[in-house]
Amino acid sequence: MKKLKFDPLNIVVCGIGGQGNVLASEVVGSAMTDRGYHVAVGETYGASQRGGSVMSHVRVSVDKELSVLIPSGEAHIIIGFEPLETLRMARKYAGPDTMIVYDPRPVYPLGVLQGVQAYPALEELAAEIQDLSAAAYAVPAADIAMAAGDSRAANIALLGAFTQLPDAPLSREDLERILAQRFRGAVLELNRRAFAQGCEAVSGKEGEV
């Protein structure tokens, strides 16, 4: 069992309903369990239907039994599927050691599409995410997924990017093994492509937005 840099290790997975956030947290939790860690996974709030805000907590320890809630300011990794949701979670949960990997492509809420609300400038979102983190990696997961063959694989692309973070508790091979357990045939091959491209999007890069 690999020693954790932080114990417990706290991971926030956040985004919009329909982006596969919950599946991503389950995959991470399953991979950590397979490695022998104690894992607590919980969806804390938000509607899981398409369009609603969704967040999950994943807490990992070598030997501690954990509650599912991450205290404010104590997330070590944030995996974000939408930039504004990533920023919201960073404002509450990021601390001095937090690493963030996120898709910078926005999902505009209905109010913005109708012209009755304003969405923050993407440059401002990116700058604040960077400021709130020890390192932030903007990964075009939705674009990677489309290139791989299906936009729904964006969550898998971000998981690939997650494995390349300096403090990631899982290797690329750990998550590839879980994907092979969960998917079959053409769907598995598509997810493998998206996962590999997500890994390449972060591998060897500095933490810059």
Side-chain angles (χ1 to χ4, degrees):
M1 183 188 301
K2 180 180 178 181
K3 183 179 180 180
L4 298 172
K5 182 175 181 180
F6 305 100
D7 193 341
L9 176 71
N10 298 322
I11 303 170
V12 171
V13 184
C14 62
I16 301 298
Q19 291 185 302
N21 320 37
V22 175
L23 174 62
S25 63
E26 290 174 352
V27 168
V28 171
S30 295
M32 297 300 299
T33 300
D34 278 2
R35 291 290 302 274
Y37 296 101
H38 292 264
V39 180
V41 180
E43 183 182 342
T44 57
Y45 64 82
S48 59
Q49 72 268 21
R50 185 172 298 277
S53 177
V54 178
M55 177 181 66
S56 296
H57 289 187
V58 181
R59 308 194 73 200
V60 183
S61 175
V62 171
D63 55 12
K64 300 181 181 73
E65 295 294 336
L66 304 167
S67 67
V68 298
L69 296 181
I70 296 172
S72 295
E74 294 188 18
H76 301 112
I77 298 174
I78 296 175
I79 304 172
F81 292 81
E82 202 281 336
L84 183 55
E85 292 300 316
T86 301
L87 177 57
R88 286 173 178 164
M89 294 306 103
R91 285 172 173 170
K92 181 171 184 180
Y93 291 102
D97 298 311
T98 304
M99 308 198 85
I100 299 176
V101 58
Y102 73 105
D103 191 338
R105 179 176 177 175
V107 177
Y108 297 114
L110 183 60
V112 172
L113 296 175
Q114 292 175 334
V116 296
Q117 294 176 320
Y119 192 95
L122 297 182
E123 295 81 3
E124 294 176 3
L125 289 178
E128 188 172 352
I129 289 171
Q130 180 71 40
D131 288 344
L132 290 171
S133 63
Y137 300 81
V139 175
D143 294 339
I144 288 172
M146 286 294 292
D150 192 324
S151 62
R152 292 174 294 182
N155 58 345
I156 305 300
L158 264 184
L159 288 184
F162 156 73
T163 67
Q164 302 304 301
L165 296 179
D167 294 338
L170 296 168
S171 69
R172 177 172 180 166
E173 291 73 24
D174 289 330
L175 282 186
E176 285 175 335
R177 186 165 53 252
I178 298 299
L179 294 180
Q181 294 172 5
R182 288 195 171 234
F183 303 104
R184 294 289 184 271
V187 175
L188 175 58
E189 292 308 310
L190 184 151
N191 282 326
R192 279 175 169 164
R193 290 195 298 272
F195 183 82
Q197 292 176 45
C199 291
E200 293 168 5
V202 168
S203 181
K205 293 184 178 180
E206 297 294 332
E208 298 181 354
V209 177

